[in-house]
Amino acid sequence: MKPDRLLAIDLGTQSVRALLFDLHGELQGRAQQVFTDYQREQPGWMTHDGEAFWQAAAACCRQLLAGYDVRRVAGVSVTTQRGSIVPMAEDGRCLAPALIWLDQRRATRLPRIQPLWRAAFRLAGVAGTIDTLQRDAEVNWWAQHQGEMLAGAHKLMLLSGLLNQRLTGRFADSIGSQVAYLPFDYKRHAWAAAGDWKRQALAVRPEQLCELLPVGEAVGAVTPAAAAATGLREGTPVIAAAADKACEILGSGALAPDIGALSYGTTATINQTLARYVEPEPFVPPYPAAVRGHYSLEVQIARGFWLVSWFKEQFGHPERESAQQLGVAPEQLFDELIADIPPGSLGLTLLPTWSPGIRRPGPEAKGAIIGFGEAHTRAHFYRAILEGLAYGLREGGERLQRRSSVRFAALHASGGGAQSDACLQLSADVFRLPVARPHTHETSGLGAAIDCAVGLGLHADMAQAVAGMTRVARWFRPRAEAADRYDRLYAEVYAPLYGRLQPLFERIRAITGYPE
């Protein structure tokens, strides 16, 4: 039997999924396990047991492949949440819980950077940015608080590397997955050279960094132990893919430079893929794309559709209960909730800077909602959240287009929010651009499957694979009247809002100590 199925393991922030695709990009099977066991020892902290991540992924594979002829599985690729790091022993044990990318603990004792580099940072106006990076780096917190553990770690792995190691026994990861506070050279797509400032800024030894492989390269083969844990056939090839956002872009078919990729996930992002190195803003690198040798320019809203989940938990009980009773997706009822709310939500405007950033938003950032009036209801509030996210992504998209000198002709949307018709229609209106919904909502898994197919030679090249495995299910076109209103609200209300509120955010931080 000729193998013709591709298994993608997609370990996100909210759940892990095992996904089986055919060579046409059609989803043939799916198993999921939702994470409800994150640990939060202190406010702002967030960890998870690394071994539990692997066990959940393996359980999903077993569930998906039960009774299936696993000889049909041609290969496996892994895509995971970005920036979550776990220290591992030489025998593969996790030495401490994985620090999750949403964790907000900060180091206060920082590695010393040579004075020449410090002077250069001051001249470039980025000294504060470098200081924030050092404080945010998980390895620096471990060095300060769990130094003995860190010193004894064999490798510091992203979750993609953890899963690759569990599948193959090899401490290796994809270049496409390297988005983290580790000394990675984003231009050369390699670990930073010995004289690079990142080597000095981060408390990690060169030998603690894993082997890096290009996207599409073979990581190895499924070991007997991994076969027993997952139900896969021993010897099944494991192919390097990329991080979840990069795979989402690939799976949505947004590879051309004139197609902007919207991701309405826990972190909302707008991306542009280029074959050349362009920084989305000075001294902020583009991330590796899910295509070998390519770069993904990105602007993100750290707690993007987390805001929507928060709203649903706090105010969406009627719709959630009704959706369960009716057997429909909750997004359908939330779309109905705001169907009669006019574009602009009667002036209710949300600034989605809920999480502190490095530059814009800065470390002082907080969210804000302005324009409340007696006519406003929770429906207006919900629409204002969607509009605020779209405004923030439009602002980011304008920045990307200025930096790359390439204008967007269309947008492709992915992530949980892409299942909402209302979200995609108002996105088309806010951007004044057509927005495409891909044929599957499992775009990150599909992107990993595409990388797997190309790596195995099942498609001749990336262009053929994208043409054969991705397509548009529906287009959303901008409406002139709504777009006109959004243009004014964006330019006259949203755009100046952060600058006006920033001094107040700084005072709040000084008075309350939050954000830390």
Side-chain angles (χ1 to χ4, degrees), residues 94-115:
C94 298
L95 297 177
L99 291 187
I100 304 305
W101 63 275
L102 285 167
D103 189 287
Q104 295 180 26
R105 70 188 73 193
R106 301 289 182 267
T108 56
R109 191 169 66 242
L110 308 178
R112 181 178 177 273
I113 298 177
Q114 291 178 355

Side-chain angles (χ1 to χ4, degrees), residues 118-473:
R118 285 290 185 192
F121 295 147
R122 285 194 295 272
L123 286 172
V126 296
T129 300
I130 303 302
D131 184 70
T132 300
L133 179 150
Q134 285 193 280
R135 293 182 185 281
D136 287 349
E138 296 86 357
V139 292
N140 290 347
W141 189 91
W142 276 324
Q144 180 177 346
H145 297 280
Q146 294 179 257
E148 186 175 343
M149 179 280 296
L150 180 64
H154 176 61
K155 299 293 180 186
L156 297 169
M157 305 292 283
L158 300 181
L159 298 183
S160 48
L162 167 66
L163 295 188
N164 282 329
Q165 192 278 334
R166 287 290 193 271
L167 287 167
T168 69
R170 185 180 183 186
F171 286 97
D173 202 3
S174 173
I175 288 170
S177 296
Q178 301 312 302
V179 181
Y181 292 121
L182 291 173
F184 182 74
D185 186 325
Y186 288 92
K187 188 172 186 177
R188 293 174 48 248
H189 284 175
W191 293 124
D196 194 305
W197 66 268
K198 291 187 284 294
R199 291 281 197 186
Q200 302 170 31
L202 300 168
V204 54
R205 302 190 308 274
E207 63 270 20
Q208 291 179 305
L209 301 171
C210 72
E211 185 180 0
L212 292 181
L213 301 170
V215 171
E217 194 84 4
V219 180
V222 171
T223 66
T230 62
L232 283 160
R233 176 176 49 88
E234 181 184 342
T236 302
V238 179
I239 304 298
D244 55 2
K245 290 295 181 186
C247 283
E248 273 188 19
I249 296 164
L250 178 58
S252 71
L255 284 189
D258 65 347
I259 299 178
L262 290 177
S263 175
Y264 283 119
T266 304
T267 293
T269 61
I270 184 164
N271 293 73
Q272 184 178 34
T273 301
L274 298 175
R276 55 192 169 90
Y277 181 88
V278 175
E279 295 177 342
E281 58 181 283
F283 303 100
V284 175
Y287 298 139
V291 181
R292 187 183 298 208
H294 283 61
Y295 302 91
S296 182
L297 285 68
E298 177 175 302
V299 174
Q300 64 176 242
I301 301 173
R303 289 184 182 265
F305 246 69
W306 173 89
L307 287 169
V308 174
S309 300
W310 171 83
F311 175 89
K312 291 176 181 178
E313 291 173 4
Q314 300 298 322
F315 307 107
H317 301 294
E319 286 74 24
R320 289 163 59 196
E321 291 179 3
S322 295
Q324 191 170 13
Q325 293 170 2
L326 296 172
V328 300
E331 286 76 16
Q332 179 179 332
L333 300 187
F334 282 101
D335 281 0
E336 293 174 5
L337 175 68
I338 63 173
D340 296 327
I341 304 301
S345 304
L346 299 181
L348 193 62
T349 304
L350 179 135
L351 183 67
T353 50
W354 249 242
S355 286
I358 293 178
R359 299 191 72 180
R360 183 178 174 88
E364 78 291 332
K366 302 184 79 67
I369 307 167
I370 67 166
F372 271 114
E374 61 182 15
H376 290 123
T377 66
R378 68 190 181 99
H380 293 86
F381 189 9
Y382 182 65
R383 186 178 184 97
I385 291 174
L386 299 180
E387 290 171 340
L389 292 173
Y391 290 147
L393 293 175
R394 171 175 165 173
E395 182 179 51
E398 291 175 349
R399 198 183 316 162
L400 297 185
Q401 293 169 91
R402 285 194 301 270
R403 297 288 294 175
S404 69
S405 300
V406 178
R407 301 293 299 174
F408 291 149
L411 303 169
H412 287 197
S414 58
Q419 303 312 299
S420 164
D421 288 356
C423 180
L424 296 195
Q425 183 57 62
L426 71 84
S427 296
D429 296 336
V430 167
F431 280 86
R432 204 184 282 269
L433 286 172
V435 176
R437 173 186 287 155
H439 76 281
T440 177
H441 67 278
E442 295 287 3
T443 47
S444 55
L446 177 57
I450 291 172
D451 280 334
C452 190
V454 175
L456 293 170
L458 299 175
H459 281 288
D461 53 33
M462 187 60 70
Q464 184 188 91
V466 170
M469 297 180 71
T470 71
R471 51 201 156 273
V472 173

